[in-house]
Amino acid sequence: MAETTINKESRIDNGLFSNEIMLDINQLTKIYPTPKGDYVVLDDLDLKVKREEFISIIGHSGCGKSTLLTMIAGLNEISRGTIVADNTTVTGPGPDRGVIFQSPSLLPWLSAYDNVMLGVKQVFAHGTKKDRDDIVKYYLAKVGLEDAMFKKAKDLSQGMQQRVGIARAFALKPKVLLLDEPFGMLDSLTRGELQDVLVEVWNQEKITAIMITHDVDESILLADRVIMMTSGPRAKVGDILEIDFERPRNRAELIEHPDYYKYREHLINFLEH
């Protein structure tokens, strides 16, 4: 039925309709000039991400994962190719793309509440004061900081600071959420707790998400697809693994699932070759 009602020209090359795609990356290339000649980090990389999809990107250090993410964010100039987010070509940073970095980069003298409010005031400048207050408090509560939202950032633990970073990103209501190893600096217990927080909030918001990680298990827990990058230079997409687990996902149940270790073996084998 869909074929008869939608113009076939709107279908793109991987069998999806263009209105199903939130992020369309075509022939993306990043070149850094050096005294010895051009260094090509990414070379003609193609990737399409569906609306409300969560993908993770893994690969060896130096393969250009963070470069790709910062280009999507509009923080890194594109040498060649295009990035289209929600049918709009990316030419620079914007509130439609939220970023959670490894370090949340909070203003230490401000409270958790005020750190989140800084962005909310800009994005929802035309909203009422109560509306903005409700948004900030809602997301801080969602990440477990209901009782600590008025503590200064410098008085919060590293894990709590990253919770603020997660709350801030979701509160801005971006169309695409970009996560650059957000749990990489945390101990394993805190990492697991924040993975669960991220999953819970994402399940409710269903924002298209792209996450860089070195953690194979984290990829399987969080992602609908895992994008495997080839080693640099001239990195591109080497393989894509569909993670066919229903949502919401439970960590303990996933580990008991027979497919879990098949996925894990596939990813490890890719990284080892």
Side-chain angles (χ1 to χ4, degrees):
M1 187 68 181
E3 285 286 338
T4 62
T5 58
I6 301 177
N7 188 324
K8 288 185 181 181
E9 288 183 358
S10 70
R11 183 179 286 282
I12 56 180
D13 58 14
N14 65 349
L16 296 168
F17 289 104
S18 58
N19 62 359
E20 295 175 329
I21 296 298
M22 175 57 78
L23 196 67
D24 191 357
I25 301 171
N26 281 296
Q27 296 184 316
L28 187 67
T29 300
K30 181 62 183 179
I31 301 170
Y32 288 110
T34 75
K36 295 183 179 179
D38 288 345
Y39 182 81
V40 184
V41 182
L42 301 172
D43 188 21
D44 284 344
L45 183 144
D46 294 315
L47 180 64
K48 291 171 175 46
V49 183
K50 293 180 284 186
R51 294 179 187 276
E52 301 185 1
E53 184 177 26
F54 196 124
I55 73 166
S56 63
I57 300 176
I58 66 171
H60 294 293
S61 294
C63 73
K65 300 185 297 297
S66 291
T67 300
L68 172 60
L69 206 76
T70 54
M71 291 170 80
I72 298 170
L75 301 171
N76 198 340
E77 187 178 345
I78 295 170
S79 302
R80 190 170 63 242
T82 58
I83 301 174
V84 178
D86 197 25
N87 299 313
T88 301
T89 300
V90 170
T91 57
D96 59 323
R97 284 151 288 134
V99 187
I100 303 176
F101 293 108
Q102 195 171 82
S103 172
S105 302
L106 305 178
L107 296 177
W109 61 89
L110 293 182
S111 68
Y113 175 95
D114 288 333
N115 268 283
V116 178
M117 181 59 81
L118 280 175
V120 169
K121 273 184 176 178
Q122 289 187 318
V123 174
F124 302 105
H126 300 295
T128 67
K129 185 178 179 182
K130 183 182 184 305
D131 287 342
R132 293 194 292 266
D133 179 70
D134 287 346
I135 290 169
V136 174
K137 288 180 176 176
Y138 174 81
Y139 285 101
L140 284 170
K142 279 293 173 190
V143 299
L145 292 178
E146 193 166 18
D147 297 328
M149 65 176 67
F150 296 110
K151 286 186 177 180
K152 290 183 178 179
K154 65 182 177 64
D155 296 327
L156 300 175
S157 68
Q158 200 167 35
M160 292 175 80
Q161 288 183 23
Q162 195 61 300
R163 287 173 188 258
V164 178
I166 294 170
R168 179 176 58 189
F170 277 102
L172 301 183
K173 302 283 188 182
K175 293 177 180 177
V176 179
L177 184 63
L178 305 169
L179 306 103
D180 191 358
E181 295 195 72
F183 313 129
M185 296 173 63
L186 304 175
D187 63 85
S188 58
L189 181 60
T190 306
R191 185 186 187 104
E193 289 174 355
L194 289 193
Q195 286 169 352
D196 292 340
V197 166
L198 179 64
V199 166
E200 183 181 346
V201 180
W202 182 86
N203 280 335
Q204 293 179 346
E205 302 292 323
K206 289 294 173 68
I207 296 171
T208 303
I210 301 168
M211 179 177 183
I212 290 174
T213 179
H214 281 97
D215 190 324
V216 166
D217 297 295
E218 186 170 78
S219 290
I220 298 170
L221 172 68
L222 297 174
D224 298 305
R225 290 187 298 155
V226 182
I227 311 301
M228 289 159 268
M229 300 274 289
T230 61
S231 296
R234 298 187 177 276
K236 56 184 64 182
V237 174
D239 194 7
I240 298 176
L241 178 64
E242 302 264 354
I243 306 296
D244 192 22
F245 289 139
E246 289 185 5
R247 296 187 185 274
R249 295 174 181 173
N250 177 283
R251 184 191 307 271
E253 291 176 1
L254 284 192
I255 292 174
E256 296 297 322
H257 196 287
D259 288 342
Y260 184 86
Y261 293 96
K262 294 178 186 175
Y263 292 144
R264 200 173 190 278
E265 183 179 12
H266 185 106
L267 295 175
I268 291 172
N269 283 342
F270 178 87
L271 292 173
E272 287 181 346
H273 291 90

